[in-house]
Amino acid sequence: MAAKAERPEDVEQALKQEPARTPRRSPAEVRASVVGVVAGLIRWVGLAFAIVLVAHILLTVGNANSGNGITVFFADAAQPLALAFRSLFTPENAELRVLVNYGLAALFWLIASAVLARIVRRLG
């Protein structure tokens, strides 16, 4: 025998009687997703810091106008991000000094954020 086809009215009434239920996530699933978001955020922040430092390096080595607002913005933003690397090496050439010191700071932020994100994932 052929199965009896349901009428659209029957389907609508069945949907009205029983509310749609979304499957609940277990606490472990919620925790894993939160840990993933936090670890991803840490990686993005480290990448953003490195990008600011590299932009400052490129503007300095490229002899950008030091009075331009973009150059000033990246120079000001890069100062605190360079941490103790800002004066680690002191060659006489200012461009080389920025390239080496701020380049090391950018590398530090990339490595530190990757390590910290991995630690967060392992502990989470």
Side-chain angles (χ1 to χ4, degrees):
M1 293 199 159
K4 183 178 173 184
E6 293 184 359
R7 295 180 305 202
E9 301 87 38
D10 295 340
V11 173
E12 286 181 29
Q13 190 166 0
L15 289 174
K16 288 180 184 176
Q17 291 175 353
E18 192 172 319
R21 294 184 190 145
T22 56
R24 296 195 68 112
R25 294 170 50 181
S26 71
E29 291 173 330
V30 172
R31 182 176 178 173
S33 65
V34 169
V35 166
V37 168
V38 169
L41 184 64
I42 290 169
R43 293 293 304 262
W44 278 105
V45 168
L47 180 62
F49 287 177
I51 288 172
V52 167
L53 290 163
V54 169
H56 175 60
I57 292 168
L58 292 175
L59 291 169
T60 301
V61 172
N63 293 321
N65 178 4
S66 60
N68 185 287
I70 295 171
T71 306
V72 171
F73 169 77
F74 280 107
D76 291 344
Q79 289 294 325
L81 296 178
L83 304 173
F85 296 102
R86 187 174 40 236
S87 60
L88 184 61
F89 295 103
T90 57
E92 290 188 26
N93 185 341
E95 292 173 359
L96 181 61
R97 184 174 34 243
V98 168
L99 177 65
V100 172
N101 292 334
Y102 285 74
L104 285 172
L107 190 60
F108 164 78
W109 283 112
L110 290 175
I111 293 170
S113 65
V115 169
L116 186 59
R118 183 169 285 194
I119 289 171
V120 166
R121 286 187 196 274
R122 298 235 180 202
L123 294 178

